[in-house]
Amino acid sequence: MRYSQMRWRRACVGLAAAAMLGVPASTGSAYGAPALEPSFSASSSTGTTDTEFPELTPAVAARLDTAVRQIMREAGVPGVIVGLSAPGKGNYVRAFGVADKATGAPMEPDLYMRIGSVTKTFTVTALLELVDQGKVGLDDPIAKHVDGVPNGDRITLRDLAGMRSGLFNYTEDEGFFKALTSNPQRPFTPEELLDFSFKHPVQFQPGEQFEYCNTNLILLGLVVEKAGGMPLKEFIEQKVVKPAGLRHTVFPTGTEFPSPHAHGYTNQTASGKVEDTTDWNPSWAWAAGAVISDLPDLRSWARTLATGTLLTAETQAQRLKTGPTTIPGAGYGLGIFNVQGWIGHNGSLPGYEALTVYLPEARATMVVLLNTDITHDQAEPSTLFGQAITRIVTPDHVFNLPVQASRPTPQPTSR
C-alpha cells in the first residue's frame, strides 16, 4: 500500500471512555451454550497431527479475557467479539464492551457485523467455482471478460485474485475519498469504482510483484456476474453462502443492515473526527468488502475456506499456493492469506474490522469482530487482538499483519 503524510488512515487514537471499558464480557456462546463447553470429540478422525494447543479451560479463558481487555484499553476499542475453538479443546466465545456508544448497549456474540475484505474470500470462491465448472480459466486475460482494462490483454484472472495485477487501487484515489466522505450514503457502481483506478497508470507489469489492490476484486466481481449469469449478490448467496450452510451472511446492495447489529466508529472521515458509520453505504467496496455476517457463520466459513469443501482438490491447491509478498511471515494465494500458518483473511472498512482464520495443524478456528477500524500505534486493532490471542494459544504461530497489509479499504494518498 502507498502511504503519505496525508494518508486517509490516521495513526493515533485516544483512549475510550472508562464507562465503556467497564462493561463486563458476555460469557455465553453465540449458540447460547456455555462458552467453554467442548463441542468437538477429543479424538481426531482425520489423521492430522495436532500442533500444541491448550485446552480452553477456565484458566486459559481468564488469560484470554485479560489479554483482550488490555488491547481494548490500549487501543480504545468500543466492543469486540472473539470466537476460538479447536477439536477436543473446547470453545472460547466472548463479547466485550459496547455495541452502541450512544446507548451503552452491550456487544453480544450473535450480532451482525460488516466484515470488510473477508468479502474477498467469498468473491474469489465464486470465481473458483466457475473455474471448476469450466466457465472461466485462471489464466484467462481479463480483457476476455471485461473491456477497457489497462494492460487487460496481459493481466490474468490469477493475477487479479493473487494481488499481482499492477493496477492502481481505486481506494487510494483522492477523488474517491472526497466522493465517499462527502456523502457516505451515496451508491457507487462497479464502473464508477473502476474509473477512479483506470485514470492512473499501471504500477507494474502483471506478475512482477505483490500489491494489495481492491480494483482487482471489482473486476473479478464483474467476471463472476458475466460467467455466472446473475448479479454478484445472487451468485454469492446462492452458490457460495447457501452451499456452505451459512444462515446469517448477506451481500447488501445498499445501506441495509440486518438486526441486531453493532454500530461502527471511524476517524476516516472528511473532518478527521470520529463518526458513526453504521448506515454508510458499502457499495463502494462491493466485491472487495461489502458482505455482512456474524460469528457463528464465520467460524464455519473459516474451516470451509481453508479446507476447500466447495472446490475441487486441484483448484483448492492452486488457491493455497502462495507467492512471495513484502509481508514478513505471510503469503497470499488466491484471495486468501497464510499468516504464520493461519489461513483466511482480515477485513477493515470504516467502522468495522474482522479476522477470520483457520490453523490446519491444530484444526483451530479464530474469529475476531470489532466495531472500530481506528489504528493504535499504526497497528490494526484486529491484528492486535489476533496477536494477543495467538501468543497464548499458539505461540509458535503468532498472527501478525503490518498495517500496510491489513488496510484493504479506502486510503487515498492525500486529502
Side-chain angles (χ1 to χ4, degrees), residues 211-234:
E211 185 172 83
Y212 200 99
C213 177
N214 291 311
T215 305
N216 298 338
L217 270 292
I218 303 304
L219 289 168
L220 292 182
L222 293 175
V223 172
V224 171
E225 289 196 329
K226 182 177 179 181
M230 64 182 74
L232 181 64
K233 167 188 169 65
E234 294 180 18

Side-chain angles (χ1 to χ4, degrees), residues 167-243:
L167 293 172
F168 184 85
N169 189 355
Y170 72 89
T171 58
E172 294 184 7
D173 178 79
E174 183 174 2
F176 167 79
F177 170 78
K178 291 179 178 178
L180 175 63
T181 58
S182 63
N183 182 11
Q185 282 76 39
R186 66 160 285 184
F188 287 88
T189 67
E191 292 73 21
E192 287 175 317
L193 301 176
L194 293 177
D195 285 343
F196 287 115
S197 170
F198 293 171
K199 67 183 182 181
H200 297 271
V202 296
Q203 308 300 290
F204 52 87
Q205 291 305 306
E208 285 187 352
Q209 65 187 70
F210 170 89
E211 185 172 83
Y212 200 99
C213 177
N214 291 311
T215 305
N216 298 338
L217 270 292
I218 303 304
L219 289 168
L220 292 182
L222 293 175
V223 172
V224 171
E225 289 196 329
K226 182 177 179 181
M230 64 182 74
L232 181 64
K233 167 188 169 65
E234 294 180 18
F235 192 97
I236 286 179
E237 292 184 348
Q238 294 180 23
K239 307 298 184 180
V240 180
V241 169
K242 186 176 180 180

Side-chain angles (χ1 to χ4, degrees), residues 261-394:
H261 57 252
H263 285 244
Y265 304 94
T266 192
N267 60 359
Q268 295 192 79
T269 60
S271 67
K273 296 180 180 179
V274 175
E275 294 181 9
D276 186 325
T277 66
T278 308
D279 297 323
W280 283 25
N281 191 328
S283 62
W284 65 265
W286 195 52
V291 167
I292 295 167
S293 191
D294 68 358
L295 176 65
D297 270 14
L298 292 176
R299 293 174 74 191
S300 176
W301 178 243
R303 184 181 301 107
T304 296
L305 178 66
T307 58
T309 55
L310 297 182
L311 305 173
T312 64
E314 178 184 0
T315 298
Q316 178 69 1
Q318 292 188 69
R319 169 170 226 169
L320 295 179
K321 184 178 180 180
T322 58
T325 74
T326 56
I327 309 164
Y332 199 87
L334 301 179
I336 197 167
F337 274 108
N338 183 325
V339 182
Q340 299 294 341
W342 288 95
I343 297 172
H345 219 289
N346 62 337
S348 181
L349 77 170
Y352 299 88
E353 289 202 340
L355 178 59
T356 302
V357 289
Y358 182 80
L359 182 64
E361 290 185 35
R363 289 168 294 145
T365 300
M366 177 172 62
V367 175
V368 180
L369 299 166
L370 52 151
N371 60 345
T372 186
D373 66 314
I374 300 173
T375 59
H376 175 66
D377 289 342
Q378 297 186 325
E380 296 294 336
S382 62
T383 291
L384 295 176
F385 286 116
Q387 287 176 332
I389 293 166
T390 54
R391 280 173 180 154
I392 293 171
V393 296
T394 55

Side-chain angles (χ1 to χ4, degrees), residues 55-120:
E55 185 178 351
L56 296 173
T57 62
V60 172
R63 291 179 62 197
L64 292 168
D65 287 350
T66 298
V68 171
R69 288 191 176 103
Q70 181 177 346
I71 298 300
M72 290 183 70
R73 287 193 297 269
E74 292 177 354
V77 174
V80 62
I81 302 167
V82 179
L84 182 68
S85 64
K89 306 298 184 178
N91 291 329
Y92 172 87
V93 177
R94 293 284 197 272
F96 300 82
V98 297
D100 185 341
K101 295 197 293 185
T103 66
M107 189 69 87
E108 300 288 350
D110 58 353
L111 296 181
Y112 284 95
M113 302 286 280
R114 300 195 188 277
I115 64 172
S117 283
V118 178
T119 300
K120 292 176 171 67

